[in-house]
Amino acid sequence: MKDLFEKTNFLLDGGVLVLLSEYLADRISRGLIARPEGNDLAVLDAFGTPMNSLFLEGAAGIAGSAFPSPPLRTSFDVFSAPLSGEWPWAVRLRGMGWCFFVLLGDEPTPEIMEEMPSFAGLINLWQLHQKTAGVEERLSRLAYMVLATKNTLASVFEPMGVNYFGAFLHDVVQESLFPSRFSLLLDDGETLSLLEGEEMLLPPRKGIFARDILSPVPVRVEPQQRELLGDSVFDSLADDWSAVLPIPGGAFRLFCFLKWEKIPGEEAFNFMELLGNVASKALSLGSLREERERNISELTRRAFLLNALHEAALNFMEQTSKEDLLLQILDIFTEMAQAPRSLLVAWQPAAGGYVHFASKREGLLEKKGTFAGFPVGLLEGERQGSFSLEESKRLFAFMEVPALSSVEGLDAMNRIFPLWDGDRLTAFVAVSAPLAGTATMDLPTLEILARTASVALRKSEWDSGHLAAGKYLNLAALADWETTRARDEIRAEGGVPVVLNGPAGINVSSEQERLCRLVIRSECVTRCISESGAPDLEVLFPPAEGWTMEKEGI
């Protein structure tokens, strides 16, 4: 049995040609066995003749023309025919899908021709075995690919980032298609970059890589696909790669590059197309899932912000005392911005201008009440909801309140939120940069909060007896502000303001008061504001009594 197995295995592995050669060598002076390959004959075995080449160029056509070509009526047939040239005789052994020529130096005897059908039958068995083995091999590969597909489908739709997806795809391709080389490129819409596999020279962003619409179908890197790939792309890939598999999906696309030493069969490319479609759907679903999660997160955040704004607005509207409201505004802004430091400046007429109302640092509140500047800032037209520290300096200078830029602690702030009453700047809140790693309200929401606080300020009043957080009344600033106001009124009417300064305790008569727009008394001086066109100023305010006159422009 062992001997029978070895002989059978020998024949099915192509040993029948060796037996045929040995049989003929004992009966014919010289000969060779060849198979047609195109117009040539490929020499498989020879006897009694030296062989300088394994191919007989153009011999297939010459040998084939010597034989009739009727359809096969049995599994195989055998014919002999004379030839002209180096080989005077030929025997053709033919079957379904195969053909061999035996070129002989002598005419075959009837004995030889009687044995030829037996050799043809053995060759037919060998060819059938080869076909069956090939089919079995293909079925085995296909079964493995089906198994790989099953395992891929079980995992490919799991949530995973693009980097992990690239690693997963790399493993699937390597274990299913066995390429000798593999690279995976990521196209984010702007650039191509290596995601997985070996380093490669990035192709030009042209041809297939510049198309807006792609199908997840493998493209072979061969001359027939030059137009599809693009000329420059084909030239850059032809020497190094066998196929390209585009995988579009969502916001980005992937490109698989594969190289085989021997191009696989059609079933491998069918599997690649299936893999491309599945991977494309997985990427698209992953992008939709991420977009849905982002939208849910954004809606949750907006709901939280809306609720926070609602609570803040209720807190603002519940305050009737302006001082309590300002402290509430400072506290809420500090919390919403997650700022370790903050401050609030407000316009307080009783204090003569703006006051640095209060500050917070590391959660500790300090009521300041220090004078910050005057007069009231006015800004017509469109007004920003917030501005940076640098922008605040330019804005305060434009509104002619440059002193606000020098408020203590303002240089440590990151963002300033103004509170307006029409064109008037009634207050502003300044906050520092948020603590690292904390979740804060976005800028538009904080600006909405500032507008809400502005409305609440208009509806509140200062507590009686409270000045600048209960601390300071700046009489000098108040006097200067009133003096400036009176002089501006005179100029607006076309007059020229005159400042009359007299001794602190001097008596001001009713006739003198009649010529004045403003009279200010202090421990140091008595100041009257009039206009130069008033009659008898020098008579009513004589230098002999200590009066001095300052006319604008002199």
Side-chain angles (χ1 to χ4, degrees):
M1 291 302 294
K2 179 179 180 183
D3 182 56
L4 179 61
F5 164 73
E6 290 177 351
K7 288 180 179 180
T8 304
N9 189 59
F10 173 72
L11 292 174
L12 294 180
D13 280 344
V16 61
L17 297 181
V18 177
L19 290 179
L20 177 59
S21 180
E22 291 176 351
Y23 173 79
L24 292 174
D26 294 336
R27 293 164 177 80
I28 299 290
S29 60
R30 62 190 179 96
L32 58 82
I33 303 171
R35 183 203 298 264
E37 290 191 7
N39 290 324
D40 304 330
L41 287 178
V43 178
L44 304 177
D45 205 348
F47 57 92
T49 181
M51 290 306 302
N52 299 321
S53 173
L54 293 178
F55 288 91
L56 300 179
E57 294 184 2
I62 297 173
S65 63
F67 293 91
S69 300
L72 280 170
R73 294 182 179 180
T74 58
S75 300
F76 54 87
D77 61 21
V78 177
F79 289 97
S80 64
L83 299 176
S84 60
E86 180 182 0
W87 301 98
W89 280 88
V91 178
R92 185 186 72 180
L93 295 86
R94 182 180 65 154
M96 189 66 67
W98 58 270
C99 180
F100 291 89
F101 288 99
V102 181
L103 304 183
L104 301 172
D106 305 311
E107 180 181 358
T109 64
E111 178 189 359
I112 292 175
M113 292 304 298
E114 188 176 338
E115 295 293 334
M116 284 296 110
S118 298
F119 283 106
L122 290 174
I123 292 174
N124 189 55
L125 290 176
W126 167 43
Q127 294 297 307
L128 288 173
H129 173 71
Q130 281 196 321
K131 289 180 180 178
T132 304
V135 170
E136 288 179 349
E137 184 180 351
R138 291 181 62 187
L139 287 174
S140 177
R141 287 198 300 267
L142 188 59
Y144 185 82
M145 289 178 183
V146 170
L147 179 62
T149 302
K150 179 180 77 71
N151 294 334
T152 300
L153 291 174
S155 305
V156 72
F157 293 104
E158 293 294 328
M160 62 181 84
V162 65
N163 291 327
Y164 188 82
F165 187 87
F168 173 79
L169 192 61
H170 185 188
D171 291 342
V172 171
V173 171
Q174 287 290 95
E175 295 175 6
S176 305
L177 298 169
F178 309 106
S180 57
R181 296 178 59 199
F182 175 85
S183 288
L184 182 63
L185 296 188
L186 171 66
D187 179 5
D188 62 3
E190 297 181 358
T191 59
L192 293 171
S193 60
L194 181 69
L195 184 64
E196 274 290 325
E198 65 178 71
E199 293 288 341
M200 64 174 289
L201 182 65
L202 296 179
R205 196 172 179 79
K206 299 178 180 178
I208 191 172
F209 302 110
R211 290 191 175 91
D212 293 330
I213 300 176
L214 285 175
S215 178
V217 176
V219 181
R220 304 186 193 217
V221 183
E222 53 189 23
Q224 296 89 329
Q225 303 295 339
R226 173 184 283 272
E227 183 178 353
L228 178 60
L229 289 168
D231 290 337
S232 59
V233 172
F234 177 82
D235 293 338
S236 68
L237 301 179
D239 295 335
D240 299 319
W241 301 101
S242 303
V244 179
L245 175 61
I247 303 177
F252 49 81
R253 308 184 293 187
L254 302 178
F255 292 93
C256 297
F257 294 80
L258 301 97
K259 172 71 174 178
W260 293 278
E261 299 305 325
K262 180 181 178 182
I263 301 298
E266 195 63 31
E267 67 276 1
F269 285 90
N270 290 336
F271 173 77
M272 286 175 64
E273 183 173 351
L274 174 62
L275 177 63
N277 277 280
V278 171
S280 178
K281 295 295 185 295
L283 280 179
S284 298
L285 289 175
S287 296
L288 290 174
R289 187 186 301 113
E290 290 178 1
E291 183 180 357
R292 183 195 63 185
E293 290 175 353
R294 285 195 301 270
N295 290 338
I296 291 174
S297 177
E298 179 64 16
L299 287 173
T300 302
R301 188 184 69 86
R302 289 183 178 274
F304 169 77
L305 294 179
L306 184 61
N307 184 64
L309 282 174
H310 174 69
E311 293 294 332
L314 290 179
N315 288 333
F316 291 162
M317 296 306 176
E318 288 172 356
Q319 305 299 327
T320 56
S321 163
K322 185 161 291 192
E323 183 176 77
D324 292 341
L325 175 58
L326 290 171
L327 293 176
Q328 186 80 53
I329 291 172
L330 179 62
D331 183 63
I332 290 178
F333 262 94
T334 306
E335 179 67 24
M336 295 298 186
Q338 288 293 300
R341 298 185 62 181
S342 59
L343 62 85
L344 186 144
V345 172
W347 172 260
Q348 191 170 16
Y354 289 102
V355 293
H356 181 177
F357 190 79
S359 295
K360 289 194 78 172
R361 182 167 186 170
E362 305 297 341
L364 298 177
L365 175 67
E366 180 183 2
K367 292 184 178 182
K368 292 286 188 178
T370 55
F371 185 75
F374 69 95
V376 68
L378 300 174
L379 183 64
E380 297 181 352
E382 185 177 354
R383 289 173 291 277
Q384 292 178 248
S386 67
F387 38 84
S388 66
L389 185 61
E390 289 301 317
E391 291 171 332
S392 72
K393 294 178 181 178
R394 294 192 293 270
L395 183 63
F396 292 150
F398 178 78
M399 293 191 299
E400 298 182 356
V401 203
L404 293 181
S405 299
S406 303
V407 172
E408 180 186 356
L410 190 63
D411 55 352
M413 299 298 126
N414 179 60
R415 201 75 190 168
I416 294 172
F417 297 89
L419 310 181
W420 302 95
D421 181 2
D423 296 339
R424 299 172 66 248
L425 178 66
T426 56
F428 67 81
V429 183
V431 295
S432 64
L435 294 168
T438 56
T440 66
M441 272 193 175
D442 55 27
L443 188 60
T445 305
L446 289 171
E447 291 179 350
I448 294 174
L449 185 63
R451 291 195 290 272
T452 304
S454 298
V455 174
L457 275 177
R458 297 172 203 157
K459 300 179 178 297
S460 62
E461 299 291 339
W462 291 101
D463 292 344
S464 58
H466 283 70
L467 297 172
K471 291 192 176 182
Y472 300 104
L473 175 61
N474 193 324
L475 296 177
L478 189 60
D480 287 340
W481 183 77
E482 290 292 341
T483 299
T484 301
R485 184 186 60 78
R487 296 173 72 172
D488 288 343
E489 288 179 358
I490 294 172
R491 280 193 294 269
E493 294 171 1
V496 177
V498 174
V499 179
L500 301 159
N501 295 315
I506 193 170
N507 180 48
V508 178
S509 66
S510 58
E511 191 173 3
Q512 288 174 318
E513 285 185 5
R514 184 175 54 81
L515 298 178
C516 297
R517 293 290 182 94
L518 177 68
V519 178
I520 300 174
R521 287 187 176 277
S522 69
E523 296 179 355
C524 302
V525 68
T526 299
R527 177 172 296 172
C528 300
I529 309 299
S530 183
E531 57 179 304
S532 61
D536 303 325
L537 278 180
E538 294 183 359
V539 176
L540 292 174
F541 298 90
E545 295 181 3
W547 290 97
T548 61
M549 183 182 301
E550 298 176 8
K551 185 181 296 186
E552 190 171 278
I554 299 179

